[in-house]
Amino acid sequence: MEKQKNEWFEWLKAIFIAVALAGGIRYFIFAPIIVEGESMMPTLHNQDRMIVNKIAYKIGEPERFDIIVFHAEEGKDYIKRVIGLPGDRIEYKNDTLYVNGKPYKEPYLDDEKKQLFDGPLTESFTLEELWGRKTVPEGHLFVLGDNRRYSKDSRHIGFIPMEKVVGKTSVVYWPLSDARIVE
């Protein structure tokens, strides 16, 4: 009888430890997220399931063109691409991104630009025209969706405070047929 009690106790202890570890990993390190909407098309599709790396920015700084998840004002999480880092001057002119006066290629938009026949993918703008500032403020990011014509992003909601960033994402794990690492 005593042996049976010990065995039950050991099983309960193992289950408790497994649940605690899984919860800790999900809360502090990695978490799943579902893409809602088409603002990141063609890179990400509606209902893609992804893994968010929550410690990516705890140990390092964001990089231009990272795909991040952040808490939006409406109580939802958004997935967008980092375009501007603190101190950057961002401008779009003739469907070309300029950062601090230097043109940047955005290869993830090339196919979409080729299919256009009725104007640019990204309308021309400067940060000053949008938000009355010449540069991205310290501690903030400027983000855009890849589906530029149909994305609610920093052009509409403003700069994203770093403390609202959940993490970086680049792994689509579902649907299995579309599993991949995105850039």
PDB file of all heavy atoms in Angstrom, residues 37-69:
ATOM      1  N   GLY A  37      -6.051  38.261 -40.442  1.00  0.00           N
ATOM      2  CA  GLY A  37      -6.148  39.263 -41.491  1.00  0.00           C
ATOM      3  C   GLY A  37      -5.063  39.104 -42.536  1.00  0.00           C
ATOM      4  O   GLY A  37      -4.266  38.168 -42.509  1.00  0.00           O
ATOM      5  N   GLU A  38      -5.038  40.054 -43.451  1.00  0.00           N
ATOM      6  CA  GLU A  38      -4.155  39.954 -44.614  1.00  0.00           C
ATOM      7  C   GLU A  38      -3.146  41.092 -44.684  1.00  0.00           C
ATOM      8  O   GLU A  38      -2.576  41.349 -45.735  1.00  0.00           O
ATOM      9  CB  GLU A  38      -5.006  39.898 -45.873  1.00  0.00           C
ATOM     10  CG  GLU A  38      -5.894  38.665 -45.877  1.00  0.00           C
ATOM     11  CD  GLU A  38      -6.792  38.571 -47.096  1.00  0.00           C
ATOM     12  OE1 GLU A  38      -6.838  39.520 -47.902  1.00  0.00           O
ATOM     13  OE2 GLU A  38      -7.442  37.521 -47.234  1.00  0.00           O
ATOM     14  N   SER A  39      -2.884  41.766 -43.568  1.00  0.00           N
ATOM     15  CA  SER A  39      -1.992  42.932 -43.597  1.00  0.00           C
ATOM     16  C   SER A  39      -0.533  42.570 -43.844  1.00  0.00           C
ATOM     17  O   SER A  39       0.260  43.439 -44.183  1.00  0.00           O
ATOM     18  CB  SER A  39      -2.100  43.726 -42.293  1.00  0.00           C
ATOM     19  OG  SER A  39      -1.525  43.008 -41.222  1.00  0.00           O
ATOM     20  N   MET A  40      -0.159  41.293 -43.693  1.00  0.00           N
ATOM     21  CA  MET A  40       1.227  40.888 -43.936  1.00  0.00           C
ATOM     22  C   MET A  40       1.357  40.018 -45.186  1.00  0.00           C
ATOM     23  O   MET A  40       2.391  39.404 -45.418  1.00  0.00           O
ATOM     24  CB  MET A  40       1.791  40.143 -42.716  1.00  0.00           C
ATOM     25  CG  MET A  40       2.172  41.035 -41.569  1.00  0.00           C
ATOM     26  SD  MET A  40       3.500  42.204 -41.958  1.00  0.00           S
ATOM     27  CE  MET A  40       4.904  41.110 -42.149  1.00  0.00           C
ATOM     28  N   MET A  41       0.307  39.965 -46.011  1.00  0.00           N
ATOM     29  CA  MET A  41       0.376  39.228 -47.270  1.00  0.00           C
ATOM     30  C   MET A  41       1.424  39.896 -48.156  1.00  0.00           C
ATOM     31  O   MET A  41       1.555  41.099 -48.113  1.00  0.00           O
ATOM     32  CB  MET A  41      -0.978  39.263 -47.990  1.00  0.00           C
ATOM     33  CG  MET A  41      -2.039  38.447 -47.308  1.00  0.00           C
ATOM     34  SD  MET A  41      -1.922  36.709 -47.632  1.00  0.00           S
ATOM     35  CE  MET A  41      -2.367  36.596 -49.336  1.00  0.00           C
ATOM     36  N   PRO A  42       2.156  39.223 -48.956  1.00  0.00           N
ATOM     37  CA  PRO A  42       2.151  37.794 -49.217  1.00  0.00           C
ATOM     38  C   PRO A  42       3.061  36.999 -48.264  1.00  0.00           C
ATOM     39  O   PRO A  42       3.100  35.792 -48.339  1.00  0.00           O
ATOM     40  CB  PRO A  42       2.676  37.693 -50.643  1.00  0.00           C
ATOM     41  CG  PRO A  42       3.665  38.805 -50.729  1.00  0.00           C
ATOM     42  CD  PRO A  42       3.065  39.915 -49.880  1.00  0.00           C
ATOM     43  N   THR A  43       3.783  37.684 -47.376  1.00  0.00           N
ATOM     44  CA  THR A  43       4.716  36.991 -46.484  1.00  0.00           C
ATOM     45  C   THR A  43       4.001  36.044 -45.535  1.00  0.00           C
ATOM     46  O   THR A  43       4.405  34.893 -45.375  1.00  0.00           O
ATOM     47  CB  THR A  43       5.537  38.019 -45.667  1.00  0.00           C
ATOM     48  OG1 THR A  43       6.132  38.948 -46.569  1.00  0.00           O
ATOM     49  CG2 THR A  43       6.614  37.337 -44.852  1.00  0.00           C
ATOM     50  N   LEU A  44       2.940  36.533 -44.899  1.00  0.00           N
ATOM     51  CA  LEU A  44       2.147  35.727 -43.965  1.00  0.00           C
ATOM     52  C   LEU A  44       0.710  35.709 -44.435  1.00  0.00           C
ATOM     53  O   LEU A  44       0.220  36.704 -44.975  1.00  0.00           O
ATOM     54  CB  LEU A  44       2.225  36.311 -42.552  1.00  0.00           C
ATOM     55  CG  LEU A  44       3.616  36.434 -41.945  1.00  0.00           C
ATOM     56  CD1 LEU A  44       3.555  37.141 -40.608  1.00  0.00           C
ATOM     57  CD2 LEU A  44       4.263  35.076 -41.815  1.00  0.00           C
ATOM     58  N   HIS A  45       0.031  34.593 -44.190  1.00  0.00           N
ATOM     59  CA  HIS A  45      -1.350  34.441 -44.628  1.00  0.00           C
ATOM     60  C   HIS A  45      -2.289  34.398 -43.427  1.00  0.00           C
ATOM     61  O   HIS A  45      -1.892  34.007 -42.332  1.00  0.00           O
ATOM     62  CB  HIS A  45      -1.499  33.166 -45.464  1.00  0.00           C
ATOM     63  CG  HIS A  45      -0.564  33.132 -46.620  1.00  0.00           C
ATOM     64  ND1 HIS A  45       0.623  32.450 -46.593  1.00  0.00           N
ATOM     65  CD2 HIS A  45      -0.636  33.726 -47.827  1.00  0.00           C
ATOM     66  CE1 HIS A  45       1.248  32.621 -47.738  1.00  0.00           C
ATOM     67  NE2 HIS A  45       0.508  33.393 -48.512  1.00  0.00           N
ATOM     68  N   ASN A  46      -3.538  34.784 -43.671  1.00  0.00           N
ATOM     69  CA  ASN A  46      -4.567  34.723 -42.639  1.00  0.00           C
ATOM     70  C   ASN A  46      -4.628  33.302 -42.061  1.00  0.00           C
ATOM     71  O   ASN A  46      -4.638  32.332 -42.810  1.00  0.00           O
ATOM     72  CB  ASN A  46      -5.916  35.123 -43.240  1.00  0.00           C
ATOM     73  CG  ASN A  46      -6.981  35.281 -42.190  1.00  0.00           C
ATOM     74  OD1 ASN A  46      -6.729  35.734 -41.074  1.00  0.00           O
ATOM     75  ND2 ASN A  46      -8.200  34.906 -42.526  1.00  0.00           N
ATOM     76  N   GLN A  47      -4.625  33.200 -40.756  1.00  0.00           N
ATOM     77  CA  GLN A  47      -4.699  31.943 -40.000  1.00  0.00           C
ATOM     78  C   GLN A  47      -3.391  31.148 -39.957  1.00  0.00           C
ATOM     79  O   GLN A  47      -3.380  30.023 -39.458  1.00  0.00           O
ATOM     80  CB  GLN A  47      -5.852  31.054 -40.492  1.00  0.00           C
ATOM     81  CG  GLN A  47      -7.223  31.693 -40.329  1.00  0.00           C
ATOM     82  CD  GLN A  47      -7.517  32.055 -38.881  1.00  0.00           C
ATOM     83  OE1 GLN A  47      -7.484  31.217 -38.012  1.00  0.00           O
ATOM     84  NE2 GLN A  47      -7.808  33.329 -38.627  1.00  0.00           N
ATOM     85  N   ASP A  48      -2.288  31.710 -40.468  1.00  0.00           N
ATOM     86  CA  ASP A  48      -0.991  31.071 -40.235  1.00  0.00           C
ATOM     87  C   ASP A  48      -0.765  31.033 -38.732  1.00  0.00           C
ATOM     88  O   ASP A  48      -1.105  31.982 -38.023  1.00  0.00           O
ATOM     89  CB  ASP A  48       0.160  31.875 -40.866  1.00  0.00           C
ATOM     90  CG  ASP A  48       0.381  31.585 -42.340  1.00  0.00           C
ATOM     91  OD1 ASP A  48      -0.249  30.651 -42.869  1.00  0.00           O
ATOM     92  OD2 ASP A  48       1.189  32.307 -42.951  1.00  0.00           O
ATOM     93  N   ARG A  49      -0.198  29.958 -38.260  1.00  0.00           N
ATOM     94  CA  ARG A  49       0.157  29.852 -36.842  1.00  0.00           C
ATOM     95  C   ARG A  49       1.667  29.952 -36.733  1.00  0.00           C
ATOM     96  O   ARG A  49       2.391  29.263 -37.452  1.00  0.00           O
ATOM     97  CB  ARG A  49      -0.368  28.552 -36.256  1.00  0.00           C
ATOM     98  CG  ARG A  49      -1.843  28.682 -35.935  1.00  0.00           C
ATOM     99  CD  ARG A  49      -2.560  27.376 -36.104  1.00  0.00           C
ATOM    100  NE  ARG A  49      -3.949  27.405 -35.659  1.00  0.00           N
ATOM    101  CZ  ARG A  49      -4.960  27.864 -36.377  1.00  0.00           C
ATOM    102  NH1 ARG A  49      -4.746  28.391 -37.558  1.00  0.00           N
ATOM    103  NH2 ARG A  49      -6.190  27.824 -35.921  1.00  0.00           N
ATOM    104  N   MET A  50       2.113  30.810 -35.805  1.00  0.00           N
ATOM    105  CA  MET A  50       3.533  31.120 -35.685  1.00  0.00           C
ATOM    106  C   MET A  50       3.997  30.989 -34.240  1.00  0.00           C
ATOM    107  O   MET A  50       3.192  30.994 -33.317  1.00  0.00           O
ATOM    108  CB  MET A  50       3.794  32.546 -36.176  1.00  0.00           C
ATOM    109  CG  MET A  50       3.341  32.800 -37.596  1.00  0.00           C
ATOM    110  SD  MET A  50       3.819  34.418 -38.178  1.00  0.00           S
ATOM    111  CE  MET A  50       5.575  34.155 -38.410  1.00  0.00           C
ATOM    112  N   ILE A  51       5.314  30.926 -34.081  1.00  0.00           N
ATOM    113  CA  ILE A  51       5.943  30.926 -32.766  1.00  0.00           C
ATOM    114  C   ILE A  51       6.570  32.303 -32.553  1.00  0.00           C
ATOM    115  O   ILE A  51       7.304  32.788 -33.412  1.00  0.00           O
ATOM    116  CB  ILE A  51       7.045  29.845 -32.669  1.00  0.00           C
ATOM    117  CG1 ILE A  51       6.466  28.458 -32.875  1.00  0.00           C
ATOM    118  CG2 ILE A  51       7.789  29.954 -31.348  1.00  0.00           C
ATOM    119  CD1 ILE A  51       5.584  27.965 -31.772  1.00  0.00           C
ATOM    120  N   VAL A  52       6.274  32.919 -31.404  1.00  0.00           N
ATOM    121  CA  VAL A  52       6.861  34.219 -31.043  1.00  0.00           C
ATOM    122  C   VAL A  52       7.999  33.968 -30.068  1.00  0.00           C
ATOM    123  O   VAL A  52       7.809  33.323 -29.037  1.00  0.00           O
ATOM    124  CB  VAL A  52       5.810  35.144 -30.390  1.00  0.00           C
ATOM    125  CG1 VAL A  52       6.438  36.470 -30.003  1.00  0.00           C
ATOM    126  CG2 VAL A  52       4.631  35.358 -31.309  1.00  0.00           C
ATOM    127  N   ASN A  53       9.168  34.482 -30.393  1.00  0.00           N
ATOM    128  CA  ASN A  53      10.331  34.402 -29.516  1.00  0.00           C
ATOM    129  C   ASN A  53      10.294  35.620 -28.595  1.00  0.00           C
ATOM    130  O   ASN A  53      10.611  36.728 -29.009  1.00  0.00           O
ATOM    131  CB  ASN A  53      11.603  34.385 -30.354  1.00  0.00           C
ATOM    132  CG  ASN A  53      12.854  34.319 -29.519  1.00  0.00           C
ATOM    133  OD1 ASN A  53      12.845  34.548 -28.313  1.00  0.00           O
ATOM    134  ND2 ASN A  53      13.962  34.026 -30.174  1.00  0.00           N
ATOM    135  N   LYS A  54       9.907  35.424 -27.352  1.00  0.00           N
ATOM    136  CA  LYS A  54       9.732  36.534 -26.416  1.00  0.00           C
ATOM    137  C   LYS A  54      11.041  37.052 -25.842  1.00  0.00           C
ATOM    138  O   LYS A  54      11.079  38.167 -25.331  1.00  0.00           O
ATOM    139  CB  LYS A  54       8.815  36.110 -25.272  1.00  0.00           C
ATOM    140  CG  LYS A  54       7.390  35.877 -25.687  1.00  0.00           C
ATOM    141  CD  LYS A  54       6.553  35.531 -24.484  1.00  0.00           C
ATOM    142  CE  LYS A  54       5.088  35.553 -24.804  1.00  0.00           C
ATOM    143  NZ  LYS A  54       4.271  35.404 -23.605  1.00  0.00           N
ATOM    144  N   ILE A  55      12.101  36.265 -25.903  1.00  0.00           N
ATOM    145  CA  ILE A  55      13.357  36.732 -25.311  1.00  0.00           C
ATOM    146  C   ILE A  55      14.274  37.400 -26.331  1.00  0.00           C
ATOM    147  O   ILE A  55      15.312  37.917 -25.964  1.00  0.00           O
ATOM    148  CB  ILE A  55      14.110  35.603 -24.584  1.00  0.00           C
ATOM    149  CG1 ILE A  55      14.500  34.484 -25.531  1.00  0.00           C
ATOM    150  CG2 ILE A  55      13.319  35.084 -23.409  1.00  0.00           C
ATOM    151  CD1 ILE A  55      15.446  33.474 -24.942  1.00  0.00           C
ATOM    152  N   ALA A  56      13.876  37.422 -27.594  1.00  0.00           N
ATOM    153  CA  ALA A  56      14.735  37.988 -28.645  1.00  0.00           C
ATOM    154  C   ALA A  56      15.172  39.407 -28.320  1.00  0.00           C
ATOM    155  O   ALA A  56      16.337  39.764 -28.513  1.00  0.00           O
ATOM    156  CB  ALA A  56      14.014  37.958 -29.987  1.00  0.00           C
ATOM    157  N   TYR A  57      14.267  40.239 -27.830  1.00  0.00           N
ATOM    158  CA  TYR A  57      14.612  41.629 -27.563  1.00  0.00           C
ATOM    159  C   TYR A  57      15.001  41.869 -26.120  1.00  0.00           C
ATOM    160  O   TYR A  57      15.352  42.972 -25.743  1.00  0.00           O
ATOM    161  CB  TYR A  57      13.470  42.556 -27.974  1.00  0.00           C
ATOM    162  CG  TYR A  57      13.251  42.523 -29.470  1.00  0.00           C
ATOM    163  CD1 TYR A  57      11.987  42.570 -30.003  1.00  0.00           C
ATOM    164  CD2 TYR A  57      14.316  42.421 -30.342  1.00  0.00           C
ATOM    165  CE1 TYR A  57      11.781  42.533 -31.365  1.00  0.00           C
ATOM    166  CE2 TYR A  57      14.126  42.364 -31.700  1.00  0.00           C
ATOM    167  CZ  TYR A  57      12.860  42.426 -32.207  1.00  0.00           C
ATOM    168  OH  TYR A  57      12.666  42.385 -33.557  1.00  0.00           O
ATOM    169  N   LYS A  58      14.936  40.834 -25.308  1.00  0.00           N
ATOM    170  CA  LYS A  58      15.431  40.971 -23.938  1.00  0.00           C
ATOM    171  C   LYS A  58      16.955  40.885 -23.954  1.00  0.00           C
ATOM    172  O   LYS A  58      17.618  41.441 -23.100  1.00  0.00           O
ATOM    173  CB  LYS A  58      14.858  39.867 -23.044  1.00  0.00           C
ATOM    174  CG  LYS A  58      13.348  39.769 -23.064  1.00  0.00           C
ATOM    175  CD  LYS A  58      12.716  40.574 -21.976  1.00  0.00           C
ATOM    176  CE  LYS A  58      11.237  40.334 -21.856  1.00  0.00           C
ATOM    177  NZ  LYS A  58      10.407  41.044 -22.773  1.00  0.00           N
ATOM    178  N   ILE A  59      17.498  40.149 -24.949  1.00  0.00           N
ATOM    179  CA  ILE A  59      18.952  39.983 -25.009  1.00  0.00           C
ATOM    180  C   ILE A  59      19.584  40.770 -26.162  1.00  0.00           C
ATOM    181  O   ILE A  59      20.794  40.811 -26.270  1.00  0.00           O
ATOM    182  CB  ILE A  59      19.320  38.483 -25.139  1.00  0.00           C
ATOM    183  CG1 ILE A  59      18.695  37.865 -26.379  1.00  0.00           C
ATOM    184  CG2 ILE A  59      18.933  37.735 -23.898  1.00  0.00           C
ATOM    185  CD1 ILE A  59      19.096  36.434 -26.641  1.00  0.00           C
ATOM    186  N   GLY A  60      18.781  41.395 -27.013  1.00  0.00           N
ATOM    187  CA  GLY A  60      19.329  42.154 -28.132  1.00  0.00           C
ATOM    188  C   GLY A  60      18.348  43.199 -28.627  1.00  0.00           C
ATOM    189  O   GLY A  60      17.204  43.241 -28.194  1.00  0.00           O
ATOM    190  N   GLU A  61      18.811  44.032 -29.503  1.00  0.00           N
ATOM    191  CA  GLU A  61      17.992  45.109 -30.061  1.00  0.00           C
ATOM    192  C   GLU A  61      17.275  44.634 -31.322  1.00  0.00           C
ATOM    193  O   GLU A  61      17.775  43.755 -32.020  1.00  0.00           O
ATOM    194  CB  GLU A  61      18.875  46.310 -30.406  1.00  0.00           C
ATOM    195  CG  GLU A  61      19.467  46.995 -29.188  1.00  0.00           C
ATOM    196  CD  GLU A  61      18.424  47.648 -28.321  1.00  0.00           C
ATOM    197  OE1 GLU A  61      17.540  48.345 -28.851  1.00  0.00           O
ATOM    198  OE2 GLU A  61      18.478  47.451 -27.091  1.00  0.00           O
ATOM    199  N   PRO A  62      16.126  45.227 -31.626  1.00  0.00           N
ATOM    200  CA  PRO A  62      15.448  44.883 -32.878  1.00  0.00           C
ATOM    201  C   PRO A  62      16.287  45.307 -34.079  1.00  0.00           C
ATOM    202  O   PRO A  62      17.070  46.247 -33.985  1.00  0.00           O
ATOM    203  CB  PRO A  62      14.142  45.671 -32.806  1.00  0.00           C
ATOM    204  CG  PRO A  62      14.350  46.720 -31.788  1.00  0.00           C
ATOM    205  CD  PRO A  62      15.418  46.237 -30.865  1.00  0.00           C
ATOM    206  N   GLU A  63      16.102  44.599 -35.152  1.00  0.00           N
ATOM    207  CA  GLU A  63      16.794  44.933 -36.391  1.00  0.00           C
ATOM    208  C   GLU A  63      15.772  45.310 -37.449  1.00  0.00           C
ATOM    209  O   GLU A  63      14.641  44.828 -37.421  1.00  0.00           O
ATOM    210  CB  GLU A  63      17.618  43.742 -36.866  1.00  0.00           C
ATOM    211  CG  GLU A  63      18.752  43.391 -35.930  1.00  0.00           C
ATOM    212  CD  GLU A  63      19.580  42.214 -36.429  1.00  0.00           C
ATOM    213  OE1 GLU A  63      19.529  41.911 -37.641  1.00  0.00           O
ATOM    214  OE2 GLU A  63      20.264  41.606 -35.588  1.00  0.00           O
ATOM    215  N   ARG A  64      16.202  46.151 -38.367  1.00  0.00           N
ATOM    216  CA  ARG A  64      15.333  46.552 -39.464  1.00  0.00           C
ATOM    217  C   ARG A  64      14.879  45.309 -40.235  1.00  0.00           C
ATOM    218  O   ARG A  64      15.654  44.397 -40.475  1.00  0.00           O
ATOM    219  CB  ARG A  64      16.086  47.504 -40.391  1.00  0.00           C
ATOM    220  CG  ARG A  64      15.203  48.174 -41.408  1.00  0.00           C
ATOM    221  CD  ARG A  64      15.917  49.237 -42.222  1.00  0.00           C
ATOM    222  NE  ARG A  64      17.023  49.896 -41.597  1.00  0.00           N
ATOM    223  CZ  ARG A  64      16.930  50.851 -40.659  1.00  0.00           C
ATOM    224  NH1 ARG A  64      15.750  51.237 -40.232  1.00  0.00           N
ATOM    225  NH2 ARG A  64      18.008  51.395 -40.149  1.00  0.00           N
ATOM    226  N   PHE A  65      13.619  45.271 -40.557  1.00  0.00           N
ATOM    227  CA  PHE A  65      12.956  44.217 -41.323  1.00  0.00           C
ATOM    228  C   PHE A  65      12.597  42.978 -40.496  1.00  0.00           C
ATOM    229  O   PHE A  65      12.054  42.024 -41.040  1.00  0.00           O
ATOM    230  CB  PHE A  65      13.730  43.835 -42.592  1.00  0.00           C
ATOM    231  CG  PHE A  65      14.033  45.016 -43.477  1.00  0.00           C
ATOM    232  CD1 PHE A  65      15.324  45.272 -43.892  1.00  0.00           C
ATOM    233  CD2 PHE A  65      13.028  45.886 -43.875  1.00  0.00           C
ATOM    234  CE1 PHE A  65      15.611  46.369 -44.708  1.00  0.00           C
ATOM    235  CE2 PHE A  65      13.305  46.980 -44.688  1.00  0.00           C
ATOM    236  CZ  PHE A  65      14.596  47.219 -45.094  1.00  0.00           C
ATOM    237  N   ASP A  66      12.875  42.975 -39.178  1.00  0.00           N
ATOM    238  CA  ASP A  66      12.360  41.906 -38.320  1.00  0.00           C
ATOM    239  C   ASP A  66      10.841  41.927 -38.374  1.00  0.00           C
ATOM    240  O   ASP A  66      10.233  42.996 -38.504  1.00  0.00           O
ATOM    241  CB  ASP A  66      12.758  42.121 -36.852  1.00  0.00           C
ATOM    242  CG  ASP A  66      14.185  41.739 -36.535  1.00  0.00           C
ATOM    243  OD1 ASP A  66      14.862  41.158 -37.402  1.00  0.00           O
ATOM    244  OD2 ASP A  66      14.622  42.024 -35.401  1.00  0.00           O
ATOM    245  N   ILE A  67      10.220  40.778 -38.244  1.00  0.00           N
ATOM    246  CA  ILE A  67       8.767  40.698 -38.103  1.00  0.00           C
ATOM    247  C   ILE A  67       8.495  40.536 -36.611  1.00  0.00           C
ATOM    248  O   ILE A  67       9.018  39.618 -35.981  1.00  0.00           O
ATOM    249  CB  ILE A  67       8.180  39.532 -38.916  1.00  0.00           C
ATOM    250  CG1 ILE A  67       8.455  39.754 -40.407  1.00  0.00           C
ATOM    251  CG2 ILE A  67       6.680  39.400 -38.646  1.00  0.00           C
ATOM    252  CD1 ILE A  67       8.041  38.604 -41.300  1.00  0.00           C
ATOM    253  N   ILE A  68       7.715  41.471 -36.071  1.00  0.00           N
ATOM    254  CA  ILE A  68       7.470  41.474 -34.628  1.00  0.00           C
ATOM    255  C   ILE A  68       5.983  41.376 -34.311  1.00  0.00           C
ATOM    256  O   ILE A  68       5.134  41.647 -35.158  1.00  0.00           O
ATOM    257  CB  ILE A  68       8.043  42.743 -33.956  1.00  0.00           C
ATOM    258  CG1 ILE A  68       7.336  44.017 -34.466  1.00  0.00           C
ATOM    259  CG2 ILE A  68       9.550  42.830 -34.134  1.00  0.00           C
ATOM    260  CD1 ILE A  68       7.583  45.259 -33.629  1.00  0.00           C
ATOM    261  N   VAL A  69       5.710  40.998 -33.083  1.00  0.00           N
ATOM    262  CA  VAL A  69       4.361  40.995 -32.531  1.00  0.00           C
ATOM    263  C   VAL A  69       4.359  42.029 -31.426  1.00  0.00           C
ATOM    264  O   VAL A  69       5.286  42.086 -30.615  1.00  0.00           O
ATOM    265  CB  VAL A  69       3.993  39.608 -31.970  1.00  0.00           C
ATOM    266  CG1 VAL A  69       2.632  39.637 -31.303  1.00  0.00           C
ATOM    267  CG2 VAL A  69       4.040  38.558 -33.070  1.00  0.00           C
TER     268      VAL A  69
END
